Amino acid sequence: MSLRDRGKGGQPSPLPRMVFLALFFLAGVCLGQVLAGRVPREAGRELSEYLQHYVTVEGGVTGGAVLSALVLYLRYPLLAALLGFASIGVVLLPCTALLFGFFLSFSVCCFTAAFGADGVLLALAVFGLRCAVTLPVFFLLAVPAWGSAAALAAMSFGRGRRAAPVTYGKVWWRRLGLCVLVLLLGVCAELFASPWLLRLVLGRVLA
């Protein structure tokens, strides 16, 4: 199969695909809020103890911290890009958006349940920068990937002779490269800025 960019003249608008995936993301957010309300209070105390331990013990940029940040930043966007190369992505990409929204919402709600109004500040300190980077990158990759996966699924189910060949060209790879670069810059910012910001907020909340 030749690798040439799609998305030029005659291609459908990406807006319906974006709305479709965004609805799954929002469904995950709502589900996370519902299930977070069932978390026992003991979990809030455990979270508080963990954060206090983080403030007193964590320091410097370690190999474990780098690996953890890479996983947190790259997992959903790169999974979205990879699913664009398989027909099963037409099903798994909406599921990925759902899981993204669910785990983000569930985590934020756990913070607010444990610390009340201060939990919002803590959630911003922990997830704010990451979400500002990963959310737009995820949708920037997931929307065209879902279109490609849908085209592959159409070909797989016997409509290949009537469907345009699924190709990936310069625009696709430039988009992917730019997104990876943005994610790596986000990882660097996470490693050096987020711990300082979290300690600042924790100093106020846990004082």
Side-chain angles (χ1 to χ4, degrees):
M1 181 183 300
S2 63
L3 297 182
R4 196 163 51 88
D5 181 56
R6 305 183 74 220
K8 295 186 178 180
Q11 295 300 321
S13 169
L15 183 59
R17 298 195 295 268
M18 180 177 293
V19 172
F20 178 78
L21 292 174
L23 288 175
F24 275 86
F25 179 83
L26 291 175
V29 169
C30 294
L31 183 62
Q33 291 177 344
V34 171
L35 294 184
R38 302 182 180 181
V39 174
R41 294 183 177 180
E42 290 75 10
R45 289 196 293 270
E46 292 174 1
L47 178 59
S48 177
E49 292 173 359
Y50 168 78
L51 291 174
Q52 291 183 38
H53 178 75
Y54 177 88
V55 171
T56 56
V57 174
E58 187 72 16
V61 177
T62 64
V66 173
L67 180 59
S68 176
L70 285 171
V71 171
L72 290 173
Y73 272 76
L74 299 179
R75 54 183 176 178
Y76 291 115
L78 288 191
L79 178 59
L82 290 174
L83 288 175
F85 292 91
S87 58
I88 192 64
V90 75
V91 174
L92 294 184
L93 270 166
C95 294
T96 301
L98 180 77
L99 290 175
F100 194 173
F102 169 78
F103 284 114
L104 175 61
S105 174
F106 185 84
S107 301
V108 171
C109 289
C110 285
F111 273 86
T112 56
F115 301 101
D118 290 329
V120 177
L121 291 176
L122 278 173
L124 283 174
V126 175
F127 304 109
L129 175 61
R130 189 190 314 164
C131 289
V133 174
T134 57
L135 266 177
V137 170
F138 171 77
F139 282 102
L140 186 62
L141 294 173
V143 170
W146 193 79
S148 298
L152 288 170
M155 295 179 67
S156 299
F157 286 97
R159 294 197 300 161
R161 283 178 286 186
R162 290 184 289 169
V166 182
T167 54
Y168 310 86
K170 292 181 180 180
V171 174
W172 174 277
W173 297 109
R174 285 173 182 169
R175 181 193 299 117
L176 179 60
L178 179 60
C179 288
V180 170
L181 177 60
V182 170
L183 290 170
L184 292 178
L185 290 175
V187 168
C188 293
E190 176 88 13
L191 291 171
F192 293 100
S194 289
W196 171 82
L197 181 60
L198 180 57
R199 286 186 177 91
L200 185 65
V201 176
L202 282 172
R204 170 185 169 180
V205 174
L206 301 179

